[in-house]
Amino acid sequence: MTRPRRSLLFMPGANARALAKSRELPADGLIFDLEDAVAPDAKAGAREAVAAALAEGGYGRRERVLRVNALDSEWGGDDLAAAAAMPLDAVLLPKVESAETVRAAAARLPESMPAWCMLETPLGILNAREIAASPRVEALVMGTSDLTADLRAATMPDRAPLMTALGLALLAARAYRRAILDGVHLDLADEAGFAASCRQGRALGFDGKTLIHPKQIAAANEAFAPSAEEIAAARRIIDAHCEAVAAGRGIVVVDGRLVENLHVAAAERTLALAAAIAGA
């Protein structure tokens, strides 16, 4: 099943107003956050608030993901126990550095509940392959802020210092057919920079972007959705290929370019994503 993941918005679990408002937002998914966005003395209350909000429902087709605290923290075990009873699409594990972390967390969750993994440390990036290979993993999520800090890298508009890490994570995700989401853009006043990072993320191969504010949803949705031109081109490729197969021709040329099976597969993915977005 093709599922749009253009925009995944982090929602502070302790913010009741935000939890309610998120039911109306055009994000493809919501990440209810019990970790970074919640102060230590508010974590138990945030867990209860998220459970109550999810039980109330009203989130429609938005993907519902819970970011728990680390399993070795004082809150991680209780977070996973609570997650097991929530109507969630996935649990997001923070700072994953090994497949063993996935196995330990998955053992506390229903077998039908997938794990998403934050890659936000150098060791996590180096072990991205084994993490992505874990059977319970459905998606990788880049934690570019923590990763930048750990690398002692500069924050640059073109994200050049992160290109190696982003590339390794993308290779791991695609090798094991996992979804992969780009990291957040922290400067809310930098709308042009955010739009540029979305375009870059899509060009690199990411499925979508994680967000920290509702004002970022529209730009992410636009950047990671097929354009009208891309949809039209995909239809031309598929139509021409079907005609060639019916006529017994082995060579297909569309818009002056040779079309191979890989282009047809890409065109089919484009149309499937467009259809899923239209039906959302």
Side-chain angles (χ1 to χ4, degrees):
M1 180 184 73
T2 299
R3 188 161 197 171
R5 291 187 172 115
R6 302 165 296 170
S7 52
L8 273 291
L9 177 66
F10 279 104
M11 303 298 305
N15 189 330
R17 182 173 176 273
L19 294 178
K21 184 179 179 181
S22 63
R23 294 184 175 94
E24 305 169 1
L25 298 174
D28 287 333
L30 304 169
I31 301 174
F32 301 94
D33 194 6
L34 301 181
E35 196 215 14
D36 283 349
V38 181
D41 61 356
K43 289 188 183 289
R47 188 188 306 125
E48 295 174 1
V50 170
L54 287 169
E56 184 178 342
Y59 290 100
R61 296 181 62 178
R62 297 169 188 83
E63 201 159 13
R64 295 153 299 171
V65 181
L66 182 72
R67 179 162 73 167
V68 298
N69 289 280
L71 189 57
D72 60 0
S73 72
E74 61 182 284
W75 310 283
D78 289 338
D79 287 350
L80 288 174
M86 294 182 191
L88 294 165
D89 294 294
V91 167
L92 177 58
L93 307 174
K95 292 184 172 62
V96 177
E97 295 186 325
S98 71
E100 178 54 38
T101 297
V102 180
R103 286 191 289 270
R108 302 191 181 201
L109 296 170
E111 290 186 9
S112 60
M113 189 173 291
W116 291 16
C117 298
M118 295 284 303
L119 299 184
E120 46 191 332
T121 67
L123 186 57
I125 294 297
L126 291 175
N127 289 334
R129 178 179 177 177
E130 71 169 62
I131 293 167
S134 301
R136 292 290 291 275
V137 172
E138 183 178 64
L140 304 180
V141 180
M142 299 304 302
T144 47
S145 299
D146 284 86
L147 184 58
T148 298
D150 279 3
L151 292 174
R152 303 176 191 173
T155 300
M156 301 175 65
D158 64 358
R159 300 196 294 177
L162 294 179
M163 283 299 114
T164 296
L166 295 177
L168 288 171
L170 279 158
L171 284 169
R174 296 308 176 217
Y176 292 96
R177 299 183 180 180
R178 311 304 187 202
I180 183 165
L181 301 171
D182 200 357
V184 301
H185 187 85
L186 296 177
D187 188 349
L188 292 176
D190 181 23
E191 294 183 5
F194 173 72
S197 72
C198 287
R199 292 192 298 270
Q200 181 196 53
R202 186 183 176 197
L204 288 171
F206 286 99
D207 296 299
K209 196 164 183 69
T210 48
L211 315 175
I212 59 170
H213 195 279
K215 69 184 289 186
Q216 298 176 321
I217 295 173
N221 282 348
E222 179 181 2
F224 287 96
S227 67
E229 292 78 11
E230 289 171 322
I231 294 170
R235 287 180 176 143
R236 288 197 299 273
I237 288 171
I238 292 172
D239 289 346
H241 180 260
C242 289
E243 290 175 6
V245 170
R249 299 195 308 270
I251 296 178
V252 183
V253 177
V254 177
D255 298 333
R257 296 185 177 183
L258 183 67
V259 171
E260 300 180 280
N261 288 336
L262 63 94
H263 302 115
V264 177
E268 290 172 343
R269 284 196 302 272
T270 295
L271 295 187
L273 178 58
I277 291 170

